[in-house]
Amino acid sequence: MSSEDLEKYETEMELQLYKEYRDVVGLFTHVVETERRFYLANSVDLKVRSDGGEVFFDVTMADAWVWDIYRPARFVKNVRVVTFKDVNVEELPKPDIKLPENGDFS
């Protein structure tokens, strides 16, 4: 495979991944960004730890989706990331749509 073919393949994979992200983002409550990956998750536990003066982050996520074009399965039950780099955790906004409590849509 030539470098041009590889670049085209990776571009197509990124586009497919973006479309999948767009379809699933509403299923999750948090976005987590680390140095190497981007995650969507419904449960996030972030702990700041120290070992001999060095500070690192221990992030545990449950019910998650991983942005990674090389993973055949992106939905994962549990994820743990330990890193010395920055971690960004954001809560996703809740939809403004409220369904009627009695189920009457008229």
Side-chain angles (χ1 to χ4, degrees):
M1 182 180 277
S2 72
S3 62
E4 186 177 301
D5 289 340
L6 181 60
E7 187 175 317
K8 185 177 178 181
Y9 171 77
E10 288 183 347
T11 300
E12 288 173 11
M13 292 300 292
E14 284 284 342
L15 181 58
Q16 287 177 359
L17 191 58
Y18 169 74
K19 289 176 181 177
E20 184 178 328
Y21 164 82
R22 189 186 58 205
D23 291 342
V24 301
V25 68
L27 302 173
F28 297 94
T29 58
H30 292 84
V31 173
V32 179
E33 185 178 1
T34 68
E35 70 190 274
R36 299 187 64 186
R37 296 279 187 277
F38 180 84
Y39 303 88
L40 297 171
N42 283 319
S43 174
V44 179
D45 182 33
L46 173 64
K47 292 185 174 128
V48 179
R49 303 202 184 268
S50 178
D51 182 28
E54 293 210 53
V55 175
F56 62 94
F57 300 99
D58 187 349
V59 186
T60 305
M61 295 168 269
D63 186 25
W65 180 89
V66 185
W67 180 290
D68 185 343
I69 63 173
Y70 301 106
R71 284 181 71 99
R74 286 181 274 283
F75 286 97
V76 291
K77 187 173 182 176
N78 296 297
V79 178
R80 182 174 180 215
V81 177
V82 178
T83 181
F84 289 96
K85 303 288 186 174
D86 288 343
V87 175
N88 182 39
V89 178
E90 294 181 37
E91 187 173 354
L92 291 168
K94 305 282 187 269
D96 292 336
I97 299 172
K98 293 185 180 179
L99 297 176
E101 291 181 23
N102 62 2
D104 183 15
F105 293 99
S106 56

